[in-house]
Amino acid sequence: MDIRDIARLSGYSLGTVSRVLNGHPNVSDKARMRVLKVVEEVGYEPNSNARFLKMQGRTAIAVFVKGARNLLFADILERIQALLSEADEQADVVYLDEDENEVLYAIHYQQVRHPKGMLFLGGDPAFFKTSFSRVSVPGVLVTNTAAGLAFKNLSSVSTNDVEAAREVVEYLFSRGHRRIGIVGGNRALSQVSGRRLHGAEEALRAHGIELDYERDYEPCHFSMEEGYDAMVRLIMRSPDLTAVFALGDAIALGAMRAVFDMGLSIPGDLSLVGFDGVNSSQFSIPRLTTIRQDTRLIATRSVETLLACLGGETKPVREMVPFQLLKRESVRALLPEDRAGSAPVADGGDDASNAVAATVGVSAGRAPETAKAGRTRARAFRVQVSERRGVI
């Protein structure tokens, strides 16, 4: 069994199969998963491959990045690569889609490339619970927690997402906000966004408010583009919100632009809080209020933990890194008469923004629509604004 057989069985060319086996990024998800599935089914081990034998003396540390557009991961990854280089270690970075099962991919990767260790940026503990027993090398879950997972070769370095989200809601309440929406991620408790949602929900409940997921929550991936579209959908559905908590800064920055394009202002009409504290959040207008995760410390402790495991340390680490709420310019205090929540009134933006906002119907009285219809309208809104400004 050799690479030609894998090509024949998978239906892809030798070149495509070679790129998959060597971890190159310029391969479609469909092709990669098909080739790796064939590799697993036939038990293909390229140990006899001359190139592999040549590489064996310089086995890399695999770094799996889940979500190429996540700004937080870019900051952490840069530091991780520098630290590994200083330790004379080779890093092999693999980008995965946000919805992909990173553990199954790591199992395939281990079978083909034989890394000495693994770092997972953005992993889902639910996937680890079901499949990580098949990974034989040390691993570190970065920005998510391995608490509750009894694998001796799996450590974690993360932020207390539940407590941080509670602090965001408490801060918004202290500024007079009662109609608070949430945008980003999904509701799976095993994922970072699910824990942030849980913390926000608990804080709201402590004040006698139940989070209405159908009305006041809008899921999306951690990117500016999806944050933009999700914010449009949320405001269309709940125009009486006075504040929105975005579960990631990339989402918040996209949401901020959406608010402007709808003819509204931050924080005049709507307050906004992010999560992550990425560098670009201090340069937005207004500067984004956000939870700062210490990316430098997260990266440092993750690399130190993995290197210790490679050096013989057998006890897994479950470390929480401190966070900080950065109170900047995107949240305003409400007057008592504003706290009940009222539809935002546009006092900013330009003619193009206001014209398009009127076209898509940002109105408290508009009838509810399906999620699919909402996504379509949000995308149409973004395209119309861009066309009117000559952006596209």
Side-chain angles (χ1 to χ4, degrees), residues 232-244:
V232 171
R233 295 193 297 269
L234 182 62
I235 294 177
M236 285 178 177
R237 189 169 64 242
S238 300
D240 63 324
L241 294 174
T242 65
V244 171

Side-chain angles (χ1 to χ4, degrees), residues 326-347:
L326 302 178
K327 300 174 184 178
R328 291 174 173 158
E329 302 169 346
S330 62
V331 174
R332 76 177 180 98
L334 293 185
L335 298 173
E337 57 266 28
D338 297 325
R339 293 180 182 179
S342 58
V345 178
D347 65 354

Side-chain angles (χ1 to χ4, degrees), residues 34-35 46 83 86 95 99-100 103 107 121 126 167 182 208 210 226 249 283 303 324 327 348 357 361 363 365 370 377:
R34 172 58 184 159
V35 170
L83 290 168
E86 290 173 9
Y95 289 95
D99 298 322
E100 194 163 350
V103 180
I107 293 167
L121 274 69
E167 187 164 329
I182 302 176
E210 288 295 325
E226 294 217 14
D249 282 353
F283 298 106
V303 170
Q324 178 186 10
K327 300 174 184 178
S363 167
T370 65
R377 287 169 64 84

Side-chain angles (χ1 to χ4, degrees), residues 291-308:
I291 291 288
R292 175 182 177 267
Q293 299 197 70
D294 192 334
T295 56
R296 187 178 183 86
L297 183 56
I298 289 172
T300 299
R301 290 297 301 129
S302 297
V303 170
E304 289 175 348
T305 298
L306 183 61
L307 294 179

Side-chain angles (χ1 to χ4, degrees), residues 209-262:
I209 297 174
E210 288 295 325
L211 177 60
D212 185 342
Y213 279 98
E214 294 300 318
R215 182 184 181 193
D216 297 334
Y217 170 63
E218 186 63 42
C220 72
H221 286 166
F222 284 72
S223 74
M224 285 185 274
E225 182 177 72
E226 294 217 14
Y228 183 110
D229 292 348
M231 189 63 143
V232 171
R233 295 193 297 269
L234 182 62
I235 294 177
M236 285 178 177
R237 189 169 64 242
S238 300
D240 63 324
L241 294 174
T242 65
V244 171
F245 175 25
L247 300 185
D249 282 353
I251 298 167
L253 293 172
M256 187 178 287
R257 182 68 208 191
V259 171
F260 175 81
D261 283 350
M262 297 179 86

